[in-house]
Amino acid sequence: EVALREGVVITLGGARGEVVLRPWARESWATAAGRDRYGLWAEFKVKNVAYRMRWIPPGTFTMGSPEGEVGRFDREVLHEVTLTRGYWLGETPVTQGLWEAVTGRNPSYHKGADRPVEQVSWEDCQEFCARLNGVVPGLEVGLPTEAQWERACRAGTTTATWLGDVDEQQLDRIAWYYANSGGETHAVRGKEANPYGL
């Protein structure tokens, strides 16, 4: 561990390039921030509803899935993608509590402040993002691209899920789905987080 003070920069050089280390400054929109075993996180609040974002680092990954992988679509082609900039992504799906704090309404069928919002369209989500950006200056949220979403979900892994190839026992540990959900949504954070803390 290296403790860095404001204004101090450390450069590590080698034959293959260099890495520059600078102190991390909390985002202007964050009411709290830190680092844990998953990496950087930052939190904002809207009407006392806290929501945590996770930093997804830039990098190169293989997008798509190989032939024969369970759940694969025929149109998927394995290809390398490089994201040159890191980005913030919600640690969980947007909760009904946050949606209601931002929009003043809750369209979800399965109600619960800590459950993910559902029964919303792409247009509803665009409106939510615009309103949230108006309420939390400097946040600038938007829906992730397909590549951003897949990089975050894979979290450096290459298998069907970040935990490994699909089998029901593993899937139960990380997801709510038709076989274990009872036909309804459940509170966020009820399953294991991936290596990025999502």
Side-chain angles (χ1 to χ4, degrees):
E1 286 189 26
V2 176
L4 298 176
R5 295 182 316 277
E6 192 170 336
V8 174
V9 175
I10 296 175
T11 302
L12 305 173
R16 295 176 54 144
E18 62 181 36
V19 174
V20 179
L21 303 175
R22 293 182 174 85
W24 178 63
R26 185 168 77 184
E27 299 289 343
S28 63
W29 47 264
T31 55
R35 178 185 299 275
D36 59 18
R37 66 186 177 126
Y38 301 113
L40 294 174
W41 59 268
E43 199 170 84
F44 63 85
K45 283 188 179 179
V46 177
K47 297 181 182 175
N48 292 322
V49 176
Y51 188 75
R52 185 169 283 190
M53 305 286 280
R54 289 281 175 182
W55 179 251
I56 310 301
T60 300
F61 72 104
T62 302
M63 189 168 168
S65 61
E67 287 186 32
E69 183 176 272
V70 176
R72 179 184 190 274
F73 293 107
D74 289 338
R75 68 181 183 275
E76 291 188 58
V77 177
L78 287 173
H79 60 287
E80 193 172 89
V81 174
T82 299
L83 297 177
T84 59
R85 296 176 56 201
Y87 53 98
W88 291 100
L89 188 67
E91 182 176 89
T92 68
V94 171
T95 62
Q96 294 173 36
L98 179 60
W99 187 278
E100 192 166 359
V102 171
T103 67
R105 61 185 182 82
N106 182 355
S108 300
Y109 180 77
H110 300 286
K111 302 286 188 194
D114 289 336
R115 289 182 180 207
V117 70
E118 25 102 348
Q119 306 297 317
V120 293
S121 66
W122 181 87
E123 290 82 7
D124 294 334
C125 294
Q126 294 297 329
E127 181 184 343
F128 169 81
C129 289
R131 285 187 182 201
L132 179 57
N133 289 333
V135 173
V136 183
L139 186 58
E140 299 178 21
V141 297
L143 298 177
T145 65
E146 185 177 0
Q148 288 173 327
W149 179 252
E150 188 163 336
R151 170 146 171 83
C153 291
R154 288 192 180 280
T157 65
T158 58
T159 51
T161 74
W162 65 265
L163 195 57
D165 289 323
V166 177
D167 79 37
E168 201 167 296
Q169 188 175 19
Q170 287 183 330
L171 208 50
D172 281 347
R173 290 174 49 193
I174 63 173
W176 293 109
Y177 64 107
Y178 68 90
N180 71 354
S181 68
E184 62 181 88
T185 62
H186 295 266
V188 299
R189 291 187 185 83
K191 296 293 182 177
E192 289 181 38
N194 79 1
Y196 287 154
L198 305 176

